[in-house]
Amino acid sequence: MSLFVPKFSTNGNYTLEGRVLNVDGLNSKGPYRNVYSGVTVEGAANIEKNGNNIVVGKMDFTLKLNKIKIHMECLFPKPGQNCCEKDKKYRSCNPIFARTIHRTINTKTGGSSFVDKFQDEITGRIGDISKDYFNRLLPKVDSSY
């Protein structure tokens, strides 16, 4: 199965934990909004019988995109402080570092290399969400077909 989406956007809240650019202690959380362009998803899924119903079993897919534009607020806070309002654009306590992260990912090739680097994490999470969605819909399908 292949799916192409010319453009879509997401927003919500993110949590960033662990090492960032080989530096510990830069855990961040805050609002985000992203715009994705030229998204192609290619994959396969196994449909399995479960009693009188069908469910999605194993799912494998890859994600490719032409461009991503991220906007994450409150990156790299100070201890005991989540956001720094002094930085109007990103509300970051380390605005130079935040601008560098955004510029790196938002370049023409940055989005695709970002997705390539984190392909397993991204597709794993999207796969879990997709599988859950399909498995909530599929009980309405009679497995005798």
Side-chain angles (χ1 to χ4, degrees):
M1 176 172 67
S2 183
L3 173 69
F4 176 76
V5 180
K7 187 175 184 179
F8 74 96
S9 61
T10 60
N11 61 46
N13 292 301
Y14 76 91
T15 300
L16 179 66
E17 296 176 341
R19 295 177 70 91
V20 179
L21 300 175
N22 292 324
V23 178
D24 285 320
L26 297 177
N27 298 345
S28 305
K29 62 181 177 180
Y32 79 88
R33 58 185 183 277
N34 298 343
V35 178
Y36 313 86
S37 301
V39 179
T40 302
V41 180
E42 293 182 4
N46 292 334
I47 305 293
E48 302 169 352
K49 190 167 181 167
N50 182 11
N52 291 330
N53 296 318
I54 55 176
V55 295
V56 174
K58 184 178 180 204
M59 282 182 76
D60 290 311
F61 63 93
T62 57
L63 177 68
K64 295 179 184 173
L65 57 92
N66 291 340
K67 188 174 182 184
I68 183 173
K69 182 171 169 87
I70 68 162
H71 183 91
M72 299 169 70
E73 295 182 14
C74 308
L75 281 169
F76 319 121
K78 291 179 181 176
Q81 183 177 359
N82 191 42
C83 298
C84 289
E85 302 302 329
K86 198 172 174 181
D87 174 26
K88 300 288 186 217
K89 187 168 186 178
Y90 299 115
R91 297 174 55 214
S92 173
C93 298
N94 191 333
I96 292 171
F97 202 18
R99 275 194 304 273
T100 301
I101 295 295
H102 283 85
R103 198 175 305 131
T104 300
I105 295 173
N106 290 339
T107 63
K108 267 189 174 178
T109 57
S112 58
S113 65
F114 177 81
V115 169
D116 290 344
K117 184 171 184 161
F118 295 101
Q119 182 76 229
D120 292 342
E121 291 87 350
I122 294 169
T123 56
R125 185 66 188 127
I126 293 172
D128 291 344
I129 293 167
S130 301
K131 188 174 178 179
D132 180 61
Y133 178 77
F134 286 128
N135 283 334
R136 282 187 279 134
L137 291 175
L138 289 174
K140 297 175 182 165
V141 177
D142 184 350
S143 66
S144 62
Y145 292 111

